[in-house]
Each structure stands twice: as structure tokens, then as C-alpha cells.
Amino acid sequence: MPLPAMAGMGLAGMALVGTTVTLRRDQSLFLAGDAASHVYRVMAGCVRSLALMPDGRRQVAEFHLPGDLLGLDGREAHLLSAEAVGDAILLRFPRRQLEAEAVRDPAAARGLYDLACRSLETAQRRLMVLGRKTAAERLASFLLEMAERTGGDRRFDLPMSRQDIADHLGLTIETVSRVFSQFRRKGLIALPTAQRVELRDHDAVEAASGDCAA
């Protein structure tokens, strides 16, 4: 799950000493089953966490953007794999540092508790999206989420591919492309480029997400 940025959550003042990790597109950061010995903060780019199915399919759990933490998905071993969507830069630091800081600093401990709560909340929302929503509602919810996570602007870039989005929302790439086209024809969004999205009618996109109060 995407974890909020450290600043403002009791974690910003933590005395963490990390090393820089540079990844190329599609390069793995860690695999499911690897020892969960480090925690990572995305500094630039985007990283996806995913599960690979026995039949070769994949489920993209989350996209981690600059400021997000990842690597806290398991106690001893990672439950998911993580890989760069495009070129990415991360800061890596030992998990034991994070745990020691939480013991030393009550504010940091509260911050980690908040991260855990937010992660659970995100997981619950994701279950609702995948289990109850139509394809159009899923994509609209995703676009609203990405707009918020990239600064709240109605114009933003999607670092991930249409296939990534499909694997994240439990849809086929054909369905994702079709819904994008439907939203554009209806005037809800504009697509100046394959990655650039403009929310032309934010209220209509919100209504399409199925999240509006009745």
C-alpha cells in the first residue's frame, strides 16, 4: 500500500542514515520472499508493488510515488515484489533503524502507527474498488486518487502504462483504453499525451467514480 510521506507525521525528524538506490525501468527492487531487512523512500520516479500469479498473471497492488515509504509489507520477508515503473531513485535504510527510532521517539512511534492505519484504510478501499465497482467507476476512482497524490492539480502525468493500470484495477488493457476513450468523448478528461491527463469536469469524474453521496 502507498504509505504517506514522512514529513508531518512524526517521522520527519528521525535520524535515519540511508544509501541511494537507482533503478532502471522494470528493474526489481526486491522480490516476494526476500528478507524484509530494509525500508525505502521514493525520492524520484515511481515504483510498483505486485504479486505474480502461478499462471503468469500479475496484480499490481500499489504505485509508490515520491515521498512514499515501502518495504513494510512483511515482518520477516516481503509479501510482494517491487520494481521500478520507469527510472527511479530511492533512499534505503535498515529497518532496524526505523524500529530503534520508534522506540526512542514517541512521536516517531505515533507516526508509524498512523502509517499502519492508513495502509489498512487503503487496503479496505482497494477491496471495495475491485469487488463492487464497474470498470468506469474503478478508472474514475483511480484518476481522482492520482490527482490527489500528485498535488491535487487537475493536470497531472501518469508514470505508469495502461497495462500497469489494468493490472492494478483488475481489468484488461482493452477495457482501460476503452473507458479512457469514453471519458474523453464525454468531456470528462483530456489526454494531450498518453501519459498526461487533464480533469476537465472534476465533478463529473467524481460522480463517475460512484463515491458521491446520494
Side-chain angles (χ1 to χ4, degrees):
M1 302 300 163
L3 300 178
M6 297 168 72
M9 302 187 62
L11 301 181
M14 297 178 72
L16 300 175
V17 179
T19 57
T20 300
V21 177
T22 301
L23 298 177
R24 296 299 183 185
R25 180 175 181 173
D26 296 328
Q27 184 177 351
S28 292
L29 179 63
F30 53 76
L31 300 175
D34 286 352
S37 57
H38 289 81
V39 180
Y40 304 84
R41 186 182 187 191
V42 181
M43 307 303 292
C46 177
V47 176
R48 56 182 170 245
S49 56
L50 69 157
L52 298 176
M53 309 300 180
D55 60 2
R57 291 178 301 160
R58 66 177 191 167
Q59 175 65 49
V60 176
E62 295 298 343
F63 298 104
H64 305 276
L65 303 176
D68 289 345
L69 296 180
L70 68 152
L72 296 171
D73 55 310
R75 292 181 60 85
E76 302 296 331
H78 291 295
L79 302 177
L80 302 171
S81 300
E83 58 191 27
V85 172
D87 293 349
I89 300 174
L90 303 95
L91 184 65
R92 177 181 62 194
F93 49 93
R95 188 167 179 165
R96 64 178 180 271
Q97 280 194 35
L98 189 67
E99 295 168 347
E101 284 290 317
V103 172
R104 183 189 65 83
D105 184 356
R110 288 194 299 270
L112 286 177
Y113 175 76
D114 194 26
L115 288 178
C117 291
R118 287 171 181 257
S119 180
L120 179 60
E121 180 183 344
T122 300
Q124 291 172 337
R125 287 200 306 267
R126 187 70 60 222
L127 286 175
M128 184 184 69
V129 167
L130 295 179
R132 304 290 296 181
K133 291 193 172 188
T134 66
E137 288 172 338
R138 295 182 196 187
L139 184 59
S141 295
F142 176 74
L143 293 177
L144 292 171
E145 177 188 344
M146 291 302 299
E148 180 180 358
R149 294 180 64 196
T150 54
D153 193 4
R154 297 193 179 195
R155 299 176 179 83
F156 55 94
D157 291 318
L158 294 174
M160 67 289 295
S161 67
R162 297 292 191 265
Q163 185 64 65
D164 283 332
I165 297 172
D167 291 342
H168 179 55
L169 298 179
L171 303 170
T172 65
I173 188 172
E174 292 81 10
T175 298
V176 169
S177 297
R178 174 174 54 80
V179 177
F180 263 114
S181 296
Q182 288 176 351
F183 285 176
R184 181 175 57 184
R185 287 198 302 270
K186 292 179 179 179
L188 276 65
I189 64 172
L191 300 170
T193 68
Q195 304 304 118
R196 186 72 169 174
V197 177
E198 297 180 6
L199 301 183
R200 287 191 167 179
D201 191 336
H202 187 279
D203 290 343
V205 175
E206 188 172 13
S209 74
D211 292 332
C212 293

